[in-house]
Every structure is written in C-alpha cells, then in structure tokens.
Amino acid sequence: MDNLREGIQNHIIELQLEIDNIFARGRNSVVSEVTVGQIYGGMRGLVALACNTSYVDPYSGLYIGKYTTNEFSDKLPEEIFFLLSTGKFPDKESLADFQNDLNKRAKVPQYTWDVLRSLPKDTHPMTMLSLGILSMENESVFKKEYRKGLQKADYWKYTLEDAMNILAKLPELAAGIYRIRFGDGNLISYDSNLNWSGNLAHMLGVNNDEGFADLMRLYLVLHCDHEGGNVSAFTSRVVNSALSDLYYAVSAGLNGLAGPLHGLANQECLRFILKIHDKFGDDPDEEVLRAYILDVLNSGKVIPGYGHAVLRVTDPRFTAFMKFGEANCANNHCFKIAKKLFSVVPDILMHYKEGKVANPWPNVDAMSGSLLHNYGLNEFDFYTVLFGVSRVMGFCAQNILALGLGQPIIRPKSVTNKWVIDKFDEN
Ligand code: CMX
C-alpha cells in the first residue's frame, strides 16, 4: 500500500497548503452565525466543521472530491476508499497493490468469533459488528506506537495501519455475523481471487448471481461517506480526536449508525414496504397508498426513507439504486412498491402540516432494502451492517486526514438556559 500512503501524504500537504492560505486570508473571519434555535435544534445547518473527504450539496447530493454520485457509482469500493483518502482515483497498479494488502490482512481472529458466538441468539447484528471491531482493539498499531512515544506528525501513518487492518477484515466479519445470526453458524472461506465487495457477496452465501455481487459493489460504494456532520461520522471523529484509536472510533461511529433516524432507517424501509405488501398486495392503488401514508403520519410516525437533514432533492444515491432496480429486478414486488411510494410520498410530505417536513424527497434508504430482498437477503435486521461496512471507509478516511492535518481534540462549548436568558437580557 505504498502508493496509498504516498497519495495520502501528498493530499495532506495539498490540504495543509489550502488551510494555510485560508488562514492567511482571515483566520478570524466570521462565516456562520449561531441562532438560539440551532443551539436547541441539533445544530442543524451550523457550519462548524471542515471535512475534505466528501461534501453533500443540498441540491446535487454527495460529492467525493470533485466527483458527483453519478460519476463514481460504477467504481469499486477500494477505488472509493483511495479517492476519499487521497482525493484521486488509484491507477491500476496502486489499486492492485492496495487490494493485495487487504488480502493479507483479511483474517478475523478466533477470539472475535468466540466473543460473537457467546452473545444471545437475538443480539442485533449492529451490536455484533460494533463489538466485533471493538474486540480487536488490542491489535491497534497506533496504540502501541503511541505508548512508545509517537510524534504528532506520524499519528496518521499508524492510524492508516489500523484502518487497513479494520477494512480488510470487514467482509469476513460482516458475512460471519450474518451466518452466525441468521444461518447455521458455518463460515464460508475468504477467496483471495475476489475483490473486497466480491468477497462479502461470496461469504454471505446468499446468492451466487453476478447481479448480487454487483449490488454489493454498488451498495458499498454508495454508502461510503456523507461529509462530517452526520451522527456516525461525527461521533467517530469526536472519539478519535481524543486519540482513542480507530477501533474505538469506528465502533463508536457504528453505534450512532444503529439509530432508526440514521442508518437503521434502511431496515425500517423494507419493514414498511413488506407491511404495505401484506396489507394491499403487489400493486396497491395510489389512493389507498395515499390514505395509508396519511394514517401513518397522523399516528405520529415518520415515513422511513424520506427526508434528510441536508438534502433538498431526491438523493442521487436513491436514483442510482432505482436505476439498478430497473435494470435487474423491475418486476420484484418490493421494488414496485418502493417505486410507487416515490410517486406518492413526496407530494404528501410537501403539504403535510404546512410543509413542516424540510425535505419531502427519498434518501438512500428508501430503495436499497428492496434490492437486497430481491436477491434473497431477506433478514432486514442485517441491512445496517452492510451500510456500516461501507461507512467505515468514510470514518477511516476522515480520521486519517484529520490527524494528518494536526486537528485538535473536539470540544464545542455548551451553555445553560440561564446563559441564553442572560444573553437576551444583556441586549
Ligand atoms: N416522515 C414524517 N415526518 C418527517 C419526516 C418523514 N420522513 N422527515 C421529517 N419529518 C418531520 C420531523 O420529524 C420533524 O417533525 P417535528 O418537528 O414534529 O419533530 C419535522 O418534519 C422537521 O424535520 P426536518 O427538519 O424535515 O428533518 P430533520 O433534519 O430534523 O431530520 C431525518 C432528518 C432524516 C431524521 C428525518 O427526515 C426523518 O426522520 N426521516 C425518516 C427516517 C430516515 O429516513 N432516516 C434516514 C436518513 C438518512 C441518513 O441516515 O443519512
């Protein structure tokens, strides 16, 4: 992985130069104000972080480096990790070198399997993924080097080592979790002739169809990163900013991803679609669907897969999945219902309670589950694990770059109600 390391080193130098220029133009310039509403409202819209792996434009969606979702959705996840962490796609040689390195590190230690097999049978797969990673924390190269007395300028290099060890093991770990939790517990062997996503598809043992392997590739590409302020990425960065190593930081990020308003929404989406199928069959009438959606909203529940804290258009990742569905499983009943929801839900949310929903359009989760279901991956409790495998690429790249840029521990200031009231009184 020499080329990857060199690519990151060069990227850090480029980014540092940009930051030096920004500081020269005005380190104390004001770029954003904080309202009382934002202090009490999850800091929504507050510009308070720099993240150079990816950027979410409210109207055109996810960019990795300069590339739009459309421009990178046909790549391999390995190429995406390279792009996230170096700002460039790898050439053929660098890609092969990186994949070889992953191959060498892919084996999950036996003690991790022992931990996972000792859990109650109904443990959520996201708990297993988070715990599986945390169980390997003792292997952290960063931690060992830090104890010996590591220079700050070298933090990122050993964090990269940890990242490689974690990423390499993810396909085996995730597939093993699936087989322990939902199958007979027998694991399928890693195949060093396959790439990262190909191995995941192979070791799950659900389907040998080429379409399924391509769906895994697309799934792992589309979920890789979504800038720095989302719950999981931000959590991971906060934890790593205390120099807790990447095993702690990745596990923490995954715990955030496991919430139903974030990554778990994808399992909720398929549950929702299957419920609609049970109630109204394969091809529900639009009026019936409309009435049902209103009932769900009026009962105080959210429509999973719709809305977003940043996006204000249909998520291009949703569009990429829909394109895949049209080409591979246009007649699947879940896909058809997901498509029909797309034609009904935005209009309802747009007008619901005087437009209180800021974004009525579908996000990535509204379509992904239907595609997995089509290939026989029916255990929707597992879906967020796939999201997690992909998102770990973003956690790793964000943390490596932040350490490379010498970013300090994160510690924003909180205030009491009294402080806010006093502020009003002062003015
Ligand atoms: N269905 C019903 N109501 C919704 C809604 C939806 N899909 N999306 C937003 N709303 C409601 C909110 O609950 C909120 O209501 P209250 O004021 O009563 O609390 C109101 O609209 C305003 O919220 P918002 O500003 O539009 O959205 P937020 O930025 O606060 O939240 C999100 C964003 C994603 C949590 C929210 O849209 C939601 O809960 N969606 C459904 C769950 C989902 O799909 N999550 C996956 C997100 C993708 C990801 O993780 O990246």
Side-chain angles (χ1 to χ4, degrees):
M1 61 160 188
D2 288 350
N3 296 353
L4 174 64
R5 197 181 295 109
E6 197 182 314
I8 295 175
Q9 173 99 65
N10 291 338
H11 196 36
I12 289 169
I13 294 169
E14 280 160 18
L15 292 171
Q16 189 58 59
L17 270 178
E18 284 173 6
I19 296 170
D20 292 346
N21 280 333
I22 291 168
F23 282 1
R25 293 178 75 170
R27 197 177 175 130
N28 296 320
S29 301
V30 176
V31 292
S32 173
E33 288 182 326
V34 188
T35 64
V36 169
Q38 284 173 313
I39 294 180
Y40 288 92
M43 300 187 279
R44 192 82 73 264
L46 180 68
V47 178
L49 299 164
C51 168
N52 285 290
T53 52
S54 67
Y55 176 74
V56 181
D57 182 275
Y59 301 100
S60 44
L62 175 63
Y63 286 74
I64 303 183
K66 59 181 181 187
Y67 300 99
T68 63
T69 305
N70 235 340
E71 290 166 336
F72 64 72
S73 56
D74 61 341
K75 300 289 181 190
L76 290 175
E78 295 92 313
E79 296 176 281
I80 296 294
F81 180 69
F82 217 96
L83 177 63
L84 285 166
S85 46
T86 68
K88 295 182 180 69
F89 284 120
D91 57 25
K92 263 192 168 165
E93 183 206 334
S94 308
L95 176 63
D97 179 45
F98 176 46
Q99 288 176 320
N100 277 339
D101 210 302
L102 288 174
N103 268 337
K104 285 185 209 143
R105 303 169 188 246
K107 191 124 201 72
V108 173
Q110 182 55 43
Y111 61 79
T112 295
W113 298 126
D114 295 342
V115 169
L116 297 181
R117 286 185 194 277
S118 73
L119 295 170
K121 185 69 190 148
D122 60 350
T123 302
H124 195 279
M126 277 302 280
T127 312
M128 297 171 81
L129 182 64
S130 173
L131 199 56
I133 305 249
L134 197 58
S135 73
M136 295 185 271
E137 192 276 332
N138 202 32
E139 320 252 345
S140 169
V141 182
F142 173 86
K143 183 176 77 172
K144 286 174 192 144
E145 293 298 320
Y146 188 79
R147 264 196 215 135
K148 285 190 215 159
L150 193 54
Q151 295 296 307
K152 195 170 176 186
D154 292 334
Y155 288 174
W156 72 268
K157 293 179 189 157
Y158 296 96
T159 300
L160 172 62
E161 276 299 313
D162 284 353
M164 289 297 294
N165 286 329
I166 293 172
L167 287 169
K169 291 173 180 57
L170 280 173
E172 191 174 289
L173 180 62
I177 289 170
Y178 179 75
R179 297 193 61 81
I180 292 170
R181 180 65 173 73
F182 302 107
D184 56 11
N186 290 322
L187 309 187
I188 296 174
S189 301
Y190 185 87
D191 180 347
S192 52
N193 294 313
L194 295 173
N195 62 28
W196 200 62
S197 55
N199 246 309
L200 176 59
H202 157 69
M203 287 186 287
L204 284 168
V206 172
N207 195 320
N208 293 325
D209 194 302
E210 268 179 33
F212 181 61
D214 195 37
L215 176 60
M216 277 299 105
R217 179 202 61 75
L218 182 65
Y219 197 103
L220 297 189
V221 164
L222 292 180
H223 289 85
C224 64
D225 199 37
H226 223 223
E227 67 178 41
N230 63 78
V231 167
S232 55
F234 186 50
T235 304
S236 172
R237 181 78 275 281
V238 171
V239 170
N240 187 240
S241 83
L243 299 187
S244 301
D245 62 55
L246 214 50
Y247 292 83
Y248 285 121
V250 165
S251 176
L254 291 170
N255 296 344
L257 195 70
L261 296 188
H262 190 18
L264 209 75
N266 63 5
Q267 78 170 53
E268 296 308 313
C269 283
L270 189 68
R271 200 197 301 276
F272 190 65
I273 286 170
L274 290 175
K275 200 162 171 190
I276 290 175
H277 183 255
D278 280 355
K279 270 180 176 296
F280 310 116
D282 269 14
D283 192 16
D285 182 85
E286 284 205 4
E287 275 320 301
V288 171
L289 214 46
R290 201 173 282 275
Y292 178 69
I293 298 294
L294 278 171
D295 276 354
V296 173
L297 287 170
N298 291 334
S299 70
K301 295 193 189 117
V302 296
I303 308 300
Y306 283 78
H308 201 272
V310 176
L311 287 170
R312 294 297 174 260
V313 287
T314 295
D315 189 336
R317 299 170 302 170
F318 170 90
T319 311
F321 274 139
M322 184 139 142
K323 208 168 122 195
F324 180 97
E326 294 287 12
N328 292 282
C329 56
N331 290 323
N332 173 275
H333 59 281
C334 289
F335 178 71
K336 285 200 308 203
I337 292 174
K339 233 174 105 179
K340 202 156 235 185
L341 284 170
F342 180 39
S343 62
V344 167
V345 174
D347 183 57
I348 299 176
L349 288 182
M350 214 175 291
H351 300 106
Y352 186 65
K353 295 215 169 145
E354 292 160 2
K356 81 164 182 167
V357 180
N359 177 39
W361 303 104
N363 59 56
V364 65
D365 297 325
M367 187 54 82
S368 54
S370 303
L371 305 181
L372 295 171
H373 191 266
N374 174 64
Y375 288 99
L377 190 55
N378 298 330
E379 298 85 357
F380 40 80
D381 273 354
F382 185 70
Y383 291 178
T384 312
V385 170
L386 298 175
F387 189 157
V389 169
S390 173
R391 191 50 69 89
V392 171
M393 290 194 283
F395 301 163
C396 291
Q398 289 195 20
N399 284 317
I400 290 166
L401 291 181
L403 292 175
L405 293 167
Q407 287 184 3
I409 187 165
I410 295 174
R411 201 332 183 164
K413 178 85 186 89
S414 67
V415 292
T416 58
N417 286 354
K418 180 175 177 312
W419 186 95
V420 178
I421 293 163
D422 288 349
K423 210 65 186 168
F424 278 126
D425 291 344
E426 267 172 34
N427 298 328

